[in-house]
């Protein structure tokens, strides 16, 4: 009987862990892709009902997201989507400019022609769809943006850098979507990425790294202007 009881307890723990993982992934995606807005209240009861589970795995998921700076948990009030602040933006982009360029130093030689071709074709496809007058989801542009930058980091030789950027990547993805939303000219950002990809194909770090840094700085300035405009409109 004791063996049976221990197996039941283990099964319950595994199920609770699976539910918490599901809740975490679903809530994180909703935050990153702006389905939940900055500052929005995250009701445990509502989330549990929508996800079809109890409050316990939802609560565990929210705690994990709080540890990743995607959620603020306020004692006595509950959980809220973390606001997008100018200082957070500056801090994240400061790290990106240093770490992505550092990763590029050893990544260029490891990125295959097939990977470069796949990325280029994705951006060309988006450009062609826009020129045909088709609507393009900004989340899709953000996703391809993130995939290109993640490719560069993933191919570097520094495993510690890759691990750290993996943690930071959720914040980066969120800001990349917000950057895409702030852009006035989507074709211009497509052009920038195609230029980066062309330099990626040349595999010359002396040309690629300065261009990558300029590209990240340009995205930073777009987002800085957007945040400052939003702050001034609510002042």
């Amino acid at each position: 009987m004791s063996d049976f009881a221990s197996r039941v307890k283990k099964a319950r723990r595994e199920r609770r862990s699976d539910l918490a993982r599901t809740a975490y992934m679903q809530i994180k995606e909703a935050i990153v892709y702006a389905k939940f807005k900055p500052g929005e209240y995250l009701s445990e009861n509502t989330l549990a009902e929508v996800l079809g589970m109890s409050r316990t795995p939802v609560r565990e998921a929210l705690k994990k997201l709080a540890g990743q700076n995607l959620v603020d948990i306020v004692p006595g009030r509950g959980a809220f989507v973390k606001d997008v602040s100018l200082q957070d933006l500056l801090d994240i982009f400061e790290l990106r400019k240093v770490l992505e360029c550092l990763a590029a130093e050893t990544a260029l030689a490891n990125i295959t022609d097939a990977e470069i071709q796949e990325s280029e074709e994705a951006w060309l496809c988006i450009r062609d769809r826009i020129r045909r007058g088709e609507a393009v989801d900004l989340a899709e542009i953000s996703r391809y943006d993130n995939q290109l930058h993640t490719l560069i980091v993933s191919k570097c030789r520094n495993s510690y850098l890759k691990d750290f950027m993996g943690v930071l990547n959720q914040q980066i993805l969120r800001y990349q979507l917000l950057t895409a939303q702030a852009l006035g000219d989507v074709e211009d950002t497509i052009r920038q990425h195609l230029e980066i990809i062309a330099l990626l194909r040349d595999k010359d770090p002396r040309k690629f790294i300065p261009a990558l840094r300029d590209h990240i700085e340009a995205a930073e300035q777009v987002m800085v202007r957007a945040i400052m405009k939003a702050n001034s409109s609510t002042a």
Side-chain angles (χ1 to χ4, degrees):
M1 182 64 71
S2 62
D3 183 55
F4 172 74
S6 65
R7 289 201 304 270
V8 170
K9 289 180 180 179
K10 180 180 179 182
R12 286 176 176 171
R13 286 196 301 269
E14 289 175 349
R15 172 169 168 73
R16 186 166 61 247
S17 177
D18 289 342
L19 289 173
R21 190 178 303 111
T22 298
Y24 164 76
M25 294 300 296
Q26 293 294 325
I27 299 169
K28 180 183 72 173
E29 181 176 307
I31 293 172
V32 167
Y33 287 104
K35 295 173 185 176
F36 293 152
K37 304 301 181 184
E40 184 173 343
Y41 173 61
L42 299 172
S43 165
E44 288 184 9
N45 289 331
T46 301
L47 289 171
E49 182 179 350
V50 170
L51 293 169
M53 60 182 68
S54 70
R55 292 170 55 189
T56 299
V58 170
R59 188 178 301 116
E60 292 178 13
L62 291 173
K63 288 179 180 178
K64 185 174 181 179
L65 291 164
Q68 296 178 344
N69 285 323
L70 290 171
V71 166
D72 282 327
I73 296 179
V74 182
R77 295 184 59 202
F80 300 82
V81 178
K82 187 173 179 63
D83 280 327
V84 176
S85 75
L86 181 58
Q87 188 58 54
D88 285 343
L89 171 77
L90 296 174
D91 289 345
I92 289 169
F93 274 86
E94 182 179 27
L95 289 173
R96 284 192 65 191
K97 283 181 281 188
V98 174
L99 296 179
E100 288 191 32
C101 291
L102 178 61
E105 292 180 6
T106 58
L108 292 181
N110 299 324
I111 299 175
T112 68
D113 291 339
E115 289 167 331
I116 296 171
Q117 182 70 21
E118 181 181 0
S119 182
E120 184 177 53
E121 287 177 355
W123 284 103
L124 288 172
C125 180
I126 293 177
R127 187 186 67 181
D128 292 343
R129 285 160 55 195
I130 290 174
R131 290 181 176 179
R132 289 196 300 267
E134 297 179 15
V136 174
D137 187 356
L138 292 177
E140 185 178 5
I141 294 176
S142 174
R143 184 166 61 252
Y144 286 129
D145 184 6
N146 188 259
Q147 286 175 355
L148 177 58
H149 290 274
T150 300
L151 172 64
I152 296 167
V153 172
S154 70
K155 293 293 182 170
C156 81
R157 291 201 298 259
N158 190 320
S159 60
Y160 292 98
L161 191 159
K162 286 189 281 190
D163 288 345
F164 181 79
M165 288 298 292
V167 174
L168 188 64
N169 191 54
Q170 299 308 316
Q171 293 288 345
I172 292 173
L173 183 55
R174 187 185 187 200
Y175 278 95
Q176 281 173 327
L177 177 60
L178 291 170
T179 301
Q181 292 173 334
L183 287 168
D185 185 354
V186 175
E187 281 210 46
D188 184 59
T189 194
I190 295 172
R191 176 191 58 77
Q192 290 180 32
H193 285 88
L194 288 173
E195 289 176 356
I196 290 293
I197 292 168
L199 290 171
L200 197 59
R201 182 174 280 113
D202 291 340
K203 298 184 183 298
D204 184 349
R206 294 170 299 179
K207 294 180 180 178
F208 181 79
I209 292 174
L212 177 63
R213 184 179 295 108
D214 289 345
H215 171 69
I216 295 172
E217 287 180 348
E220 178 184 22
Q221 289 307 308
V222 168
M223 196 61 225
V224 165
R225 289 195 295 271
I227 290 179
M228 292 182 69
K229 181 178 180 181
N231 289 344
S232 64
S233 65
T234 57

